[in-house]
Amino acid sequence: MKKYFTFLFLSCYFLGFSQVILKGKIVDNNTPIELANVLLIGSDNKIIEGTITNEEGQFVLEVKKGTYFLQVSFLGYEKWKEKIVAKESENLGNIKLVEKENSLNEVVVNANQKVFVKKADRLVFNVKNSL
């Protein structure tokens, strides 16, 4: 029984070393981006781990050793994706997101008046606005 507990303790001890911590900071022109999505995707396109950035734009992911794709996205910015080989804990540094350029060709504003308009002394029916 004593050997069993020793083996269990040692196996838990070594399993703790198989974890890798990835850190980084998401920025736009040295301005931190808060609440950006950070995903670690496996080779089979399944999400392994995910988090969001804090107020300083920083994130921390704890994963097993292996090869992954790190994907960062935020509304109004282009997705950033890069292959990561997680052998040991490392700081990925600043990851800069590029702002999307969205432009509208035209804007159309439609306004409709009510079919029935209640006045103080009468009820007015607008024929033009009816079907």
Side-chain angles (χ1 to χ4, degrees), residues 100-112:
K100 281 185 185 177
E101 301 224 4
N102 293 332
S103 60
L104 299 175
N105 294 335
E106 65 180 60
V107 176
V108 178
V109 178
N110 291 327
N112 294 327

Side-chain angles (χ1 to χ4, degrees), residues 2-128:
K2 188 176 180 182
K3 289 181 183 181
Y4 177 73
F5 284 121
T6 305
F7 176 74
L8 183 63
F9 175 74
L10 289 176
S11 64
C12 291
Y13 180 74
F14 287 115
L15 285 175
F17 282 115
S18 66
Q19 295 291 318
V20 175
I21 296 174
L22 300 174
K23 296 179 183 180
K25 186 174 181 179
I26 311 301
V27 295
D28 171 30
N29 296 328
N30 295 326
T31 305
I33 299 176
E34 183 180 0
L35 301 175
N37 295 315
V38 180
L39 299 175
L40 206 61
I41 300 171
S43 58
D44 56 352
N45 287 333
K46 289 187 179 179
I47 297 174
I48 306 298
E49 188 73 31
T51 187
I52 58 172
T53 57
N54 62 11
E55 299 86 25
E56 290 86 31
Q58 298 172 346
F59 68 91
V60 176
L61 292 171
E62 188 173 325
V63 295
K64 294 181 180 179
K65 293 180 181 179
T67 302
Y68 305 101
F69 287 98
L70 183 67
Q71 178 178 308
V72 180
S73 62
F74 190 66
L75 187 64
Y77 292 87
E78 294 179 11
K79 281 186 182 176
W80 182 91
K81 190 173 185 179
E82 189 173 303
K83 189 174 185 177
I84 301 290
V85 179
K87 294 180 184 175
E88 57 187 35
S89 297
E90 76 176 286
N91 187 349
L92 301 173
N94 289 348
I95 298 172
K96 185 177 179 185
L97 294 184
V98 178
E99 201 169 339
K100 281 185 185 177
E101 301 224 4
N102 293 332
S103 60
L104 299 175
N105 294 335
E106 65 180 60
V107 176
V108 178
V109 178
N110 291 327
N112 294 327
Q113 292 181 346
K114 294 181 181 179
V115 177
F116 291 99
V117 179
K118 187 175 182 181
K119 303 259 179 156
D121 58 342
R122 63 188 183 275
L123 185 65
V124 178
F125 176 76
N126 291 324
V127 177
K128 183 172 110 177

